[in-house]
Amino acid sequence: MFKALLLEKTEAGFQAGIRDVDEASLPEGDVMLQVEHSTLNYKDGLAITNRGPVVRSWPMVAGIDGAGTVLESSHAQWKAGDKVIHNGWGVGETRWGCLAQRARLKGDWLVPLPAAFSTRQAMAIGTAGYTAMLCVLALERHGVKPGDGEVLVTGATGGVGSVATALLSKLGHRVVAATGKAAESGYLQQLGAASVIDRAELSAPGKPLQKERWAAVVDAVGSHTLVNACAQTRYGGVVAACGLASGGDLPGTVMPFILRGVTLAGVDSVMAPLALRRQAWERLARDLDPAMIDAIAVEVPLAQAIPRAHELMEGKLRGRVVVTIG
């Protein structure tokens, strides 16, 4: 038996609780992982609070991320004692996840824990931070370089935004952080933001083309914020879109794309190829200041994961939440 954050939907309704689960109930897989740390991402918050149709198989152990030690493996790449990271692949949605003391996973989904990180630090980064790195890689593939101009980060106090701000600043970019939490300006400046703007400047409907400002954008918000960011991006600039915190709609026009040559680059973390995942984690180990990891993350035990998930969805948290699996 092991402890897990189990999500259930029955005739009595939805329930989320810490339960004792039999190992025999784990799904098939070629790696058994002793999970040491997990985390709370936006998608985890949606699932745990039942605010979005994330879970598609019931009952479900939550947790799309996990880091820990391999206990058993029939996969050629992994052996007992290896330290690994898991992100995405539908875990916590269609397959039991990592907010649990044990997880049975597919070895093809795992990446090695970089020597620079502990399992706690890896989960302080988690899918949100790994997605932020994917966004940075997307900007670089489209030729964005330090010194090209201001880079806008929306939803900047969230997980993606916090890590993106720290990464881009460390790489030499001038970061402008957009947030609705004016009291967190000091936090964002600590992460490296050169300036902070109110998200209200971007969240209302705006003109199809606006004054050119951004050399590039990392957007985790979507809807009018993404549309306005595109409308303000300079000629030939690139916008990396990875989230929909304000909605999945795109209420804009093609004008920024056909009149200014703006590129809208979609970034997916769930099914990203293994080679790209490895590259992202190698770059995180190189480019993310360990001191910023500590500034971004708070740590809670598994028993507090459910109330913290509710706080996350109510906009009461900033940065990242590491869940320590006892």
Side-chain angles (χ1 to χ4, degrees):
M1 302 293 284
F2 63 94
K3 298 286 187 185
L5 199 169
L6 191 68
L7 310 179
E8 300 173 280
K9 186 171 281 187
T10 66
E11 292 181 0
F14 172 83
Q15 289 185 323
I18 308 301
R19 307 280 189 255
D20 288 318
V21 179
D22 193 329
E23 281 192 11
S25 300
L26 287 167
E28 292 182 0
D30 47 19
V31 174
M32 174 74 85
L33 184 66
Q34 176 179 305
V35 184
E36 295 167 12
H37 293 90
S38 185
T39 183
L40 292 176
N41 296 291
Y42 185 75
K43 187 178 287 185
D44 296 311
L46 286 172
I48 293 168
T49 62
N50 197 34
R51 295 195 184 193
V54 171
V55 177
R56 296 189 290 278
S57 177
W58 303 91
M60 177 59 61
V61 173
I64 66 176
D65 286 347
T69 303
V70 174
L71 293 175
E72 303 170 5
S73 173
S74 59
H75 190 281
Q77 185 174 344
W78 308 109
K79 64 182 184 304
D82 286 343
K83 296 285 190 177
V84 297
I85 300 170
H86 177 276
N87 303 112
W89 297 115
V91 166
E93 302 176 64
T94 59
R95 180 188 175 94
W96 280 18
C98 297
L99 279 165
Q101 293 172 320
R102 297 286 186 273
R104 187 175 286 133
L105 304 165
K106 293 185 178 181
D108 289 342
W109 295 343
L110 305 174
V111 297
L113 177 73
F117 296 142
S118 64
T119 55
R120 179 195 177 279
Q121 289 173 316
M123 289 297 95
I125 297 166
T127 281
Y130 144 70
T131 301
M133 188 73 246
L134 292 178
C135 290
V136 172
L137 292 172
L139 301 188
E140 292 177 349
R141 284 196 300 272
H142 287 85
V144 179
K145 302 181 297 297
D148 284 350
E150 293 180 311
V151 179
L152 172 67
V153 176
T154 68
T157 59
V160 173
S162 292
V163 178
T165 298
L167 280 170
L168 289 163
S169 174
K170 176 79 179 304
L171 290 168
H173 295 277
R174 180 177 174 82
V175 179
V176 177
T179 181
K181 301 175 181 177
E184 300 291 2
S185 293
Y187 163 73
L188 293 169
Q189 289 165 351
Q190 179 187 359
L191 296 182
S195 61
V196 180
I197 63 173
D198 192 323
R199 69 183 179 194
E201 295 183 30
L202 298 161
S203 60
K207 295 180 179 180
L209 288 176
Q210 301 170 34
K211 183 178 179 180
E212 296 180 56
R213 181 170 182 181
W214 318 116
V217 177
V218 173
D219 176 67
V221 177
S223 193
H224 291 291
T225 295
L226 174 56
V227 169
N228 286 319
C230 291
Q232 296 173 13
T233 297
R234 288 162 39 179
Y235 193 94
V238 57
V239 178
C242 65
L244 42 61
S246 284
D249 57 327
L250 192 65
T253 76
V254 298
M255 290 185 185
F257 314 117
I258 65 173
L259 297 181
R260 289 183 180 164
V262 171
T263 296
L264 179 58
V267 174
D268 167 62
S269 63
V270 178
M271 304 302 291
L274 194 58
L276 183 57
R277 292 167 181 267
R278 286 176 174 267
Q279 181 187 11
W281 279 102
E282 288 166 3
R283 285 288 303 274
L284 284 161
R286 189 187 84 186
D287 296 330
L288 186 59
D289 186 342
M292 294 299 98
I293 299 176
D294 292 334
I296 289 167
V298 297
E299 187 172 355
V300 302
L302 181 60
Q304 292 184 18
I306 295 172
R308 287 302 180 112
H310 282 274
E311 291 177 6
L312 174 64
M313 299 312 298
E314 292 164 5
K316 295 179 179 179
L317 300 180
R318 74 180 191 193
R320 305 284 294 122
V321 178
V322 179
V323 180
T324 300
I325 310 296

